[in-house]
Amino acid sequence: MVNLHFSQIAASYKNKNIKELISHYTEDTGLLFWNDIGRPITNRQELALWYEELFSQYDVVSINFQINQVYRCEDVLATASQWKITLKRPDDNSLSEELSLRTTHIFKRQNNSHWLICHLHASPVPSVST
């Protein structure tokens, strides 16, 4: 289930499909999306605006993830994963940026069947210089 959600999310990033991205998040008041920059996001409307801003600045060249751990307790599932995203500015085809993130996703089962993200935290993983 987690692999399927993450694969769909990765495809939606590449296609800049905000509607599909948002569909993976809960609509309830418990939503919390945050990272090391900016303020926490607590609803789908704010999240859509965040994605609009991101996609106005960057194209996603590639996106890969690795699921490190999954914990489940009844209707709650938590994951620890790493994501590597290659971005480029639409007006500059020669320059790309690579972003490595360590993420925690918490999914809640909705209506005893469908799992949606209620919490996402992403932190950049510093690159190691040699």
Side-chain angles (χ1 to χ4, degrees), residues 70-78 106-109 115:
V70 176
Y71 305 94
R72 181 172 176 197
C73 180
E74 297 182 22
D75 291 342
V76 176
L77 187 136
I106 299 177
F107 294 83
K108 280 176 50 179
R109 187 169 22 203
W115 292 88

Side-chain angles (χ1 to χ4, degrees), residues 5-71:
H5 270 283
F6 286 176
S7 294
Q8 291 170 343
I9 289 169
S12 297
Y13 263 91
K14 285 194 73 172
N15 297 325
K16 295 185 174 185
N17 187 336
I18 295 171
K19 184 177 179 179
E20 176 65 28
L21 282 166
I22 298 301
S23 74
H24 291 277
Y25 292 86
T26 185
E27 293 184 57
D28 70 23
T29 58
L31 175 64
L32 177 60
F33 174 102
W34 60 292
N35 55 32
D36 284 6
I37 56 173
R39 63 179 181 74
I41 294 170
T42 58
N43 62 60
R44 281 182 165 186
Q45 293 79 21
E46 291 176 352
L47 192 54
L49 292 173
W50 186 87
Y51 281 120
E52 284 177 18
E53 177 69 20
L54 174 71
F55 294 149
S56 73
Q57 296 178 38
Y58 296 99
D59 291 330
V60 178
V61 176
S62 67
I63 183 166
N64 298 294
F65 63 88
Q66 175 182 331
I67 300 168
N68 298 328
Q69 293 183 314
V70 176
Y71 305 94

